[in-house]
Amino acid sequence: MHRVTMIVMAATMGVIMGSWDEHVSAADPSDKRPQQATERNWQISFTPSYSHGNFGTNTTSEFIYAPFSIRRLFSKGDVSLVIPSVTAITDGRTTVVGNTAFRVDDNSGSNSGSGGGGGSDDNCRRDNSGSGNSNDVPCGTTTRIAGQKVTTTGIGDVILRGRYYLVEEQDYVPLIAVTARLKLPTANASQGLGTGEFDHGYGVEVSKLIGTSWLVFFDGGYNFIGDPNRADGSGTLGLRNQYWWDVGTGYYLTQDWLASVYFEEYRALRVGLPNARDVFFSSNYRLSPAWRLNGGVAVGLSNGAPDYVVSLGTSYRF
């Protein structure tokens, strides 16, 4: 239906690709481990990523997620602030939630059968009322004709996240940390860059160094997703809360070069749609005590995931 698609575009459009919040931090699993008191305790990072896929729809979408982050490192944890730029190339049925792209529209499609939206800004409204007509959309909303994709760019949702180490690693005891994250709705929902709602989530990280070269880890959590109201006042869009988890292993090719691989799953935000599942390959190289390079490639394993994601970034500690 045109109306449903335009409501989604007006109220809920806006990667990641998985929290790319989780991908960005997971690009360097060694960053999850406690820092020594003698190490530098501030870090700035820039790790842009590109994702491409149909995300459970019958048309492809593309997202460029470019987060700048500043992180304060402590011996018992860390706190990070992530400020991203987002570019979305989509027909309006896929959006960035946190910094992972998911399908958020209804399964009904459009009148033309392609699932695209219609409408004209000439018939826009300037308040939250509306008759539910297919052309009755907020002014400034990027409108669609069936199957048409539009490119929008802007600031994404700012994310504040923290980690605290509950259990220190010893002999046969793994390192255990708890995590929390808060998503601030700074992205423009009417341009397809966010939902316009607050999200918050909590999780746990478990890792263990085996010998001097192997690192195994498990992460999991639960995100409480803000559910925006439909523009026609008929209720909320129906986005559900989300569990996520990943499990993997890393190997130190050299003292400064870590290669990792892990499987990830994120619950779909709409009932009846497939969960996003992928395999993520990452590499992190320490150029110096200050500079690090990281990169990764994710390959989608389900229809709810992107076909592929590529990321490349750097970080500086001071």
Side-chain angles (χ1 to χ4, degrees), residues 15-17 20 23 49-55 60-63 101 277-281 296-302 305-311:
V15 192
I16 345 171
M17 192 131 199
W20 276 95
H23 276 293
S49 64
Y50 169 80
S51 59
H52 178 281
N54 60 22
F55 301 91
T60 60
S61 296
E62 301 166 82
F63 295 89
R277 302 182 181 92
D278 67 74
V279 174
F280 186 51
F281 304 90
V297 176
V299 179
L301 300 179
S302 71
D307 295 332
Y308 62 89
V309 182
V310 179
S311 64

Side-chain angles (χ1 to χ4, degrees), residues 275-291:
N275 291 351
R277 302 182 181 92
D278 67 74
V279 174
F280 186 51
F281 304 90
S282 71
S283 178
N284 179 271
Y285 185 74
R286 185 170 58 185
L287 293 173
S288 69
W291 286 99

Side-chain angles (χ1 to χ4, degrees), residues 135-254:
N135 289 338
D136 184 21
V137 299
C139 295
T141 296
T142 303
T143 57
R144 305 284 198 265
I145 60 174
Q148 183 184 59
K149 292 195 289 186
V150 172
T151 300
T152 54
T153 300
I155 187 173
D157 291 319
V158 171
I159 294 174
L160 178 66
R161 64 170 180 251
R163 176 189 296 117
Y164 180 78
Y165 298 106
L166 283 178
V167 178
E168 298 289 344
E169 182 175 0
Q170 302 177 31
D171 296 333
Y172 300 102
V173 178
L175 177 70
I176 302 176
V178 291
T179 62
R181 62 189 294 273
L182 173 66
K183 188 206 79 175
L184 308 177
T186 53
N188 191 324
S190 68
Q191 293 185 356
L193 303 177
T195 64
E197 300 290 334
F198 285 92
D199 298 345
H200 57 100
Y202 309 91
V204 62
E205 297 178 353
V206 181
S207 64
K208 184 72 176 72
L209 187 63
I210 300 177
T212 59
S213 299
W214 287 97
L215 180 66
V216 294
F217 48 88
F218 167 82
D219 306 324
Y222 194 84
N223 296 327
F224 294 87
I225 304 298
D227 193 11
N229 291 320
R230 292 175 180 266
D232 64 357
S234 62
T236 62
L237 192 64
L239 301 186
R240 59 182 179 176
N241 295 332
Q242 177 189 65
Y243 64 78
W244 63 271
W245 64 277
D246 63 64
V247 60
T249 184
Y251 182 77
Y252 283 94
L253 302 171
T254 69

